[in-house]
Amino acid sequence: MIDERKLILSVKSGSEKAYRTLYEMWVSRLYQFVYQYLKSEETTDDVVQETFYRIWINREKLDAESSFKAYLFTIAYHLLLKELRRQLNNTSMEEFIEYNDNIRTSGDEAEKQIDFDQFCKALKQAKEKLTPRQREIFELNKEQNLSVAEIAEQLCIKEQVVRNQLSTALKIIRTELQQYSFILLLFLSHF
């Protein structure tokens, strides 16, 4: 049986071996906790790794007398909330406003106006049909306005892989959002 208190004291003093042991003790439970909310292996991996990275960076602040589990899961919880907020704030309000301005000036299209929240909800559901990598590339390109080259550099993959994944993602999104084709054209216009 491993004495967690001694392990934490060893990590606090800089023991990488103790840190690896602590990591192995908690990684699967933390992964399950985060995954139940994010439903993405890749994003869950990122949150879990960032949590343990912060444990190591702030190891001097570890308190062997306090609950390590509570400390670990609190860090993960805050990173999880940050990621969920980032995912919720992904659609461009400017594009929707521009779309509504165009509708007002085009007469018979006025009947096709939709609620921005409906579009956001439909887009979110459509993105759930993408693989985690397709979704990441789509969001980097369409929501964070990164170029294919910038995405390739950031993800350490070839530009052609980015183009292929983005093309596939766009086909899926277009199929899923056919009823919103008039606003989707604005949203996807810079591809």
Side-chain angles (χ1 to χ4, degrees):
M1 177 94 179
I2 297 173
D3 182 353
E4 191 172 278
R5 185 180 169 279
K6 287 182 183 177
L7 202 56
I8 290 170
L9 289 171
S10 295
V11 170
K12 190 172 181 171
S13 65
S15 169
E16 290 182 26
K17 182 179 179 185
Y19 173 76
R20 280 191 299 275
T21 302
L22 202 60
Y23 175 87
E24 290 168 8
M25 284 175 57
W26 287 100
V27 69
S28 65
R29 284 185 267 184
L30 187 64
Y31 185 92
Q32 290 172 357
F33 168 73
V34 174
Y35 185 80
Q36 72 180 337
Y37 295 100
L38 295 179
K39 306 291 189 216
S40 161
E41 291 177 12
E42 189 173 346
T43 310
T44 298
D45 284 340
D46 291 345
V47 169
V48 169
Q49 293 307 315
E50 179 66 20
T51 301
F52 279 101
Y53 172 75
R54 289 186 182 192
I55 295 288
W56 178 252
I57 295 302
N58 297 303
R59 63 189 174 276
E60 297 85 20
K61 297 177 186 175
L62 288 173
D63 182 357
E65 304 305 318
S66 295
S67 168
F68 178 74
K69 178 182 179 181
Y71 182 63
L72 178 71
F73 279 77
T74 299
I75 292 171
Y77 175 76
H78 289 288
L79 291 170
L80 176 62
L81 287 179
K82 183 179 175 183
E83 175 60 24
L84 290 172
R85 275 189 216 106
R86 186 194 67 75
Q87 289 180 11
L88 288 174
N89 296 323
N90 60 16
T91 307
S92 171
M93 181 60 94
E94 283 179 38
E95 290 170 343
F96 183 74
I97 291 169
E98 182 180 326
Y99 160 76
N100 270 340
D101 287 343
N102 289 341
I103 289 272
R104 274 187 228 114
T105 60
S106 68
D108 56 1
E109 287 288 316
E111 294 176 13
K112 292 187 178 179
Q113 285 191 31
I114 60 166
D115 182 291
F116 183 69
D117 291 335
Q118 287 176 308
F119 174 71
C120 290
K121 185 177 179 181
L123 179 60
K124 184 178 178 187
Q125 289 173 341
K127 289 193 307 185
E128 289 173 2
K129 307 268 182 172
L130 305 176
T131 66
R133 179 61 94 184
Q134 289 168 345
R135 182 178 181 152
E136 180 180 30
I137 290 171
F138 176 85
E139 289 173 348
L140 288 171
N141 181 256
K142 298 301 174 196
E143 297 165 10
Q144 296 179 27
N145 296 317
L146 295 183
S147 69
V148 168
E150 290 169 327
I151 295 169
E153 182 178 306
Q154 182 174 330
L155 300 179
C156 300
I157 57 178
K158 295 183 181 206
E159 288 183 28
Q160 190 58 48
V161 173
V162 173
R163 283 188 200 94
N164 292 346
Q165 292 290 311
L166 188 55
S167 176
T168 303
L170 289 170
K171 286 177 188 172
I172 293 168
I173 295 291
R174 284 185 186 117
T175 301
E176 293 298 316
L177 298 178
Q178 283 178 343
Q179 70 189 52
Y180 300 106
S181 59
F182 44 96
I183 192 170
L184 192 60
L185 288 173
L186 291 169
F187 185 74
L188 302 178
S189 64
H190 64 277
F191 177 62

